Amino acid sequence: MTQHVLFIVTNAAVIGPHSRKTGFFFAEVAHPFEVLDRAGVAVEFASPAGGWTPYDAYDEKDPAQKDFLASKAFRRLNHSRKLSEVDAADYDAILVPGGLGPMVDIQRNAAVQSAIVRAWSTGKLVAAVCHGPCALLGVDLGDGVPFVRGKKLTSFSKKEEYDYARDDVPYELEDALRAEGAEYSSTANWQPHVVVDGRLITGQNPASAGALGKELLAALKDKSTVAKI
């Protein structure tokens, strides 16, 4: 039986006081998509507003990115479904890619939070990479406890942000996750780092996107195996 993953992607094209151009970080969609697509997992796309999803940092020298740009999936992405009209429980997993865009319209977004609650409460996998874990902030499963409290995770680090977009982001994501009780960890700047804590899978930065895709695929296979027993 085909498994399905929903990517929740930003609609934000600019961020911050200097109107910095942004969107989703291209590798953070292309690399997990490549892993999942090759394994026969169906990927669909939603965004807070639906429709067009701007991107940042496209690298034509990266075969995975070049292939994704030319794919039918990329065309579907630019006609993304409106998230409030999607039921996250219809998917085996949700994945929130990063880029600076999510710090505009994904973080503390009611529809995004509802999707995470819906996915988690129905036993699905939740994944996010780089700035994507901002989607987890403010999520409450109904018990008044922050979703991330006590959970092991990662995201774009303060050290990385210092040289990248410190003047553009509204807050430090690492600090915000720690403030809600997350057990945060990171590695050296721009090096791969993925944390798996049960059904929650997070990656630190763009270099972690492919590895996150592989961990998500492994978790999907595990769920599929259990379902068949």
Side-chain angles (χ1 to χ4, degrees), residues 84-108:
S84 61
E85 299 173 355
V86 175
D87 187 350
D90 290 340
Y91 300 86
D92 298 284
I94 59 174
L95 189 159
V96 186
L100 295 178
M103 296 288 279
V104 177
D105 66 346
I106 294 287
Q107 60 99 23
R108 302 188 185 279

Side-chain angles (χ1 to χ4, degrees), residues 12-194:
V14 295
I15 186 172
H18 309 293
S19 296
R20 176 171 174 164
K21 179 183 177 295
T22 189
F24 68 85
F25 209 88
F26 208 89
E28 294 170 23
V29 172
H31 288 182
F33 174 82
E34 178 183 56
V35 172
L36 297 170
D37 186 59
R38 287 182 174 178
V41 176
V43 174
E44 295 183 33
F45 304 98
S47 60
W52 179 62
T53 54
Y55 64 84
D56 192 13
Y58 170 69
D59 181 2
E60 64 180 4
K61 296 179 181 178
D62 179 354
Q65 294 186 50
K66 191 173 182 179
D67 288 348
F68 183 67
L69 185 66
S71 70
K72 293 179 180 178
F74 180 73
R75 293 196 291 276
R76 293 201 312 275
L77 170 58
N78 281 288
H79 294 86
S80 62
R81 300 178 66 187
K82 188 174 182 179
L83 183 59
S84 61
E85 299 173 355
V86 175
D87 187 350
D90 290 340
Y91 300 86
D92 298 284
I94 59 174
L95 189 159
V96 186
L100 295 178
M103 296 288 279
V104 177
D105 66 346
I106 294 287
Q107 60 99 23
R108 302 188 185 279
N109 178 290
V112 175
Q113 293 177 344
S114 294
I116 292 169
V117 170
R118 180 70 168 153
W120 194 263
S121 300
T122 54
K124 308 305 169 60
L125 302 165
V126 173
V129 61
C130 198
H131 289 88
C134 72
L136 307 176
L137 294 170
V139 173
D140 179 351
L141 297 177
D143 55 6
V145 176
F147 174 76
V148 299
R149 182 177 294 177
K151 289 185 172 62
K152 297 179 176 65
L153 54 71
T154 188
S155 73
F156 204 60
S157 71
K158 283 179 68 174
K159 294 183 295 181
E160 289 168 317
E161 200 74 272
Y162 187 87
D163 293 323
Y164 182 66
R166 187 182 188 188
D167 295 334
D168 301 296
V169 293
Y171 55 84
E172 292 286 356
L173 180 53
E174 175 183 336
D175 286 348
L177 290 165
R178 289 184 185 276
E180 292 196 3
E183 295 185 16
Y184 179 92
S185 66
S186 63
T187 191
N189 289 6
W190 304 100
Q191 297 303 305
H193 179 57
V194 175

